Amino acid sequence: MRVLVTGGAGFIGSHVVQELAARGHEPVVFDLRQDEGADVRDEKAVREALAGVDAVSHQAAKVGLGTGFGDAPDYVSHNDLGTAVLLSAMADAGVRRLVLAGSMVVYGEGRYTCAHHGVVRPGPRAVAELAAGRFEPLCPVCGAELAPGLVGEDAPTDPRNVYATTKLAQEHLAAAWARATDGTAVSLRYHNVYGPRMPRDTPYAGVAALFRSALARGETPRVFEDGLQRRDFVHVRDVAAANATALEDAAAPGALAVYNTGSGDPHTVGEMAGAIADAYGGPRPVVTGEYRLGDVRHVTADSSRLRATLGWRARVGFTEGMREFAGEVAAG
């Protein structure tokens, strides 16, 4: 297949390009980082790039929580307007296969169980509770402690920041495009992706990159809250393989298929910071008690649907992956 990879020079996109080429496909890179600055919001440029293309891997996006609500217009422009321009051009060009870089942030908080009321959905955490160091959400019915579990694709969506809202809107646009064109659309809801080529020293970078950058500067990594918030850290090469597998799959047309894309091996943010520090040989992380509004407490993936349907599974283990990730800076 000839596959247009938007964001193909970026962190995840560059690995998707590499994986596609290794499988004998012909990836075509479309990215703002290129010399000529290809912008997915540029209708003319997108239409030209789609010439002769069989499928699209849509990785281009503005990512992370950003620096405040003032980022909202930029997020909506890059993520939602950009996706709409791309899908419109695909409809006109007759390109009927799409894999979208989705995100676990569309769920908001993960899955919680109350001993008295079963599965419940706690609301957004209150500023007063966070400021007092009470980070765990409580049962919205009785106020009891909750047990976090794995969230599946059929869980209700509840985006709690601007970035999350734009990622859910991308999925709705992709679903509408699939219905209108009888196209094949897949959203891979990435969990916390890390690995080589991850951006450094930017407020839009993932927490793993921020920890690694601190170590490279000789500083102590600062872990927010109490460090016990749970995430699913998945290696970028595994995510790239999931993209290639989804592109090759003969999925049913006319609807959006959604798959969680995680390692299936949850760890706390504190454990992740410690693993990077140990591998780098730097100072141990410090837990600060700080917090960010819009962050959620626990969200970890049930990726069994992706494994069962497409035969994909994560292959890079947590310790191995963090050692490689830390070594990328140490070697540089």
Side-chain angles (χ1 to χ4, degrees):
M1 284 186 294
R2 181 176 170 87
V3 181
L4 182 69
V5 183
T6 70
F11 167 44
I12 297 175
S14 64
H15 286 275
V16 172
V17 167
Q18 189 172 328
E19 178 71 16
L20 288 171
R23 296 188 183 208
H25 300 297
E26 181 186 354
V28 178
V29 175
F30 187 92
D31 198 291
L32 274 171
R33 298 169 185 80
Q34 292 175 304
D35 291 339
E36 298 180 1
D39 191 329
V40 75
R41 296 168 295 179
D42 183 335
E43 183 177 351
K44 181 175 182 294
V46 171
R47 290 182 183 277
E48 291 175 353
L50 285 170
V53 162
D54 303 300
V56 173
S57 173
H58 185 29
Q59 307 296 316
K62 188 176 182 68
V63 301
L65 279 182
T67 57
F69 198 82
D71 286 334
D74 209 25
Y75 272 105
V76 172
S77 177
H78 280 88
N79 297 355
D80 299 337
L81 174 60
T83 298
V85 169
L86 173 66
L87 294 174
S88 175
M90 289 174 65
D92 290 345
V95 180
R96 296 292 184 263
R97 184 172 292 270
L98 170 74
V99 172
L100 172 69
S103 175
M104 56 83 184
V105 295
V106 301
Y107 296 118
E109 287 285 354
R111 186 178 190 273
Y112 292 90
T113 304
C114 171
H116 307 288
H117 297 98
V119 176
V120 296
R121 292 189 61 78
R125 296 183 293 172
V127 172
E129 294 295 305
L130 294 171
R134 294 188 288 268
F135 303 117
E136 293 288 347
L138 301 176
C139 176
V141 181
C142 67
E145 294 184 358
L146 299 174
L150 300 180
V151 61
E153 292 90 346
D154 296 329
T157 53
D158 184 17
R160 297 192 176 182
N161 56 60
V162 170
Y163 170 62
T165 301
T166 65
K167 295 306 289 183
L168 184 57
Q170 284 184 312
E171 289 193 351
H172 289 319
L173 287 166
W177 168 84
R179 288 192 296 269
T181 65
D182 205 32
T184 296
V186 172
S187 177
L188 298 176
R189 288 179 176 169
Y190 303 159
H191 279 247
N192 293 70
V193 186
Y194 74 97
R197 307 173 206 154
M198 196 173 188
R200 307 178 189 179
D201 299 317
T202 164
Y204 303 96
V207 66
L210 297 178
F211 292 156
R212 187 184 63 177
S213 293
L215 290 164
R217 295 191 300 268
E219 300 172 0
T220 300
R222 297 171 62 83
V223 180
F224 280 15
E225 301 189 17
D226 56 5
L228 299 180
Q229 54 272 46
R230 289 164 58 83
R231 297 291 188 268
D232 186 316
F233 300 100
V234 59
H235 197 277
V236 66
R237 286 196 298 273
D238 287 328
V239 168
N243 274 271
T245 300
L247 284 164
E248 292 169 345
D249 180 63
L256 176 70
V258 174
Y259 298 103
N260 286 338
T261 307
S263 69
D265 181 27
H267 290 268
T268 69
V269 172
E271 287 174 336
M272 184 266 288
I276 295 175
D278 288 346
Y280 188 82
R284 294 292 302 172
V286 59
V287 176
T288 69
E290 297 171 88
Y291 62 88
R292 295 191 305 178
L293 288 177
D295 273 344
V296 297
R297 180 60 175 173
H298 305 294
V299 56
T300 52
D302 178 356
S303 298
S304 58
R305 178 185 291 181
L306 182 57
R307 293 193 296 269
T309 306
L310 300 186
W312 170 93
R313 67 179 180 87
R315 298 182 181 277
V316 181
F318 179 77
T319 302
E320 170 196 353
M322 291 298 170
R323 186 182 299 118
E324 178 196 25
F325 182 60
E328 186 187 21
V329 170

